[in-house]
Amino acid sequence: ASTLNSALVTITDNGGPPPFFGAPQPTTSITIDTLDGRTQGNAFWSNGKLWFCHTAGGNFGKSFAYYYAVNANGYPAAAPTLAEEGFIDGGPGEWTYQPSIGVTTTGDIGLVFCQSSSTRYPTIFGTTRAAGATAFDPPVLIKASPSFYLGGRWGDYGSVTGDPVDNSLWMTHEFARSSQFFDWGTWWANLSPRFAPQLVVVTNYISGGNANGIIDNNECNDLLLVLTNSGTFGATNIQATLTTTTPG
């Protein structure tokens, strides 16, 4: 007979369940129910890892869409360990919530979620991550609701599914069709991962001049930028354009 085994895997602090009072929407005091932090969408298995996602961030004052990958390590012969975790931050005042995650047969990953704020009606976003990449691509807007939502719980049945023919990613989620009671709909989109470099500035250093760490008027300085590439392709002959809002 089969035996059911379980194990706990430690994660870093994600703020706990999302705030109880819900995500804001413009032009109304009615909020979006981001649920209670339960795992959402379909967990999936890929290359020895179990991937899943949920909504968290309560102690941080807003919700975030979190995702995780757990190394099985041949469990139960060895203990599972956390391989990776991350979250989608929409920016100041922006709440992200109710994600769903999926994978293609080639290992490309997709994640769909919703986002709203005091200036943004509930909006569906999607992001992809090519097999071998170390980070998700910048999210793309899939569908913006034309008004706020008035009704019950929001769409905790978003979905991401790999296409068996071309290995693109099909994503679905909820949007508000109008502000009428329970007037919601389901929107779908087809996304493919970016196969390109994805450069991120890790840090920068200013040297020279009077060594105060600031570029003063009529002063010559050296600026060193440290970049990382989390994309799928290498990058050469990189050029940077520097601008300033303070002439000098």
Side-chain angles (χ1 to χ4, degrees):
S2 300
T3 301
L4 178 64
N5 295 284
S6 63
L8 296 177
V9 177
T10 301
I11 63 172
T12 56
D13 182 16
N14 62 16
F20 176 76
F21 48 84
Q25 308 179 84
T27 68
T28 181
S29 61
I30 299 169
T31 58
I32 295 288
D33 181 5
T34 59
L35 291 185
D36 54 10
R38 71 189 69 179
T39 300
Q40 294 173 272
N42 295 318
F44 69 85
W45 177 266
S46 179
N47 295 323
K49 295 183 179 69
L50 179 67
W51 293 77
F52 59 96
C53 58
H54 73 148
T55 309
N59 292 339
F60 306 142
K62 65 177 186 178
S63 65
F64 296 88
Y66 271 81
Y67 62 89
Y68 306 88
V70 174
N71 280 320
N73 297 329
Y75 181 80
T81 54
L82 183 67
E84 181 182 342
E85 65 179 319
F87 60 91
I88 306 294
D89 184 357
E94 297 283 336
W95 294 46
T96 60
Y97 45 89
Q98 295 183 324
S100 184
I101 198 166
V103 69
T104 68
T105 57
T106 56
D108 299 333
I109 301 171
L111 188 144
V112 67
F113 61 94
C114 282
Q115 180 174 325
S116 67
S117 67
S118 61
T119 59
R120 185 195 302 273
Y121 292 124
T123 300
I124 305 171
F125 282 89
T127 179
T128 56
R129 173 170 161 172
T134 58
F136 281 91
D137 295 329
V140 296
L141 191 155
I142 293 175
K143 176 64 176 178
S145 299
S147 63
F148 65 84
Y149 176 64
L150 173 61
R153 59 194 289 167
W154 190 246
D156 49 311
Y157 296 108
S159 176
V160 178
T161 304
D163 191 298
V165 177
D166 64 8
N167 283 302
S168 59
L169 290 149
W170 293 94
M171 302 183 179
T172 64
H173 218 304
E174 179 178 353
F175 74 103
R177 298 193 302 181
S178 74
S179 57
Q180 298 299 309
F181 190 56
F182 275 108
D183 190 15
W184 59 271
T186 300
W187 197 268
W188 57 264
N190 181 256
L191 274 67
S192 295
R194 288 183 57 202
F195 291 94
Q198 184 173 326
L199 302 178
V200 178
V201 177
V202 177
T203 188
N204 61 80
Y205 303 94
I206 297 175
S207 60
N210 59 14
N212 65 351
I214 300 174
I215 302 177
D216 296 318
N217 289 344
N218 301 315
E219 185 179 60
C220 293
N221 299 85
D222 294 320
L223 175 62
L224 173 66
L225 297 176
V226 179
L227 308 176
T228 60
N229 182 6
S230 60
T232 51
F233 286 173
T236 59
N237 300 320
I238 300 169
Q239 296 182 351
T241 300
L242 303 180
T243 60
T244 178
T245 57
T246 305

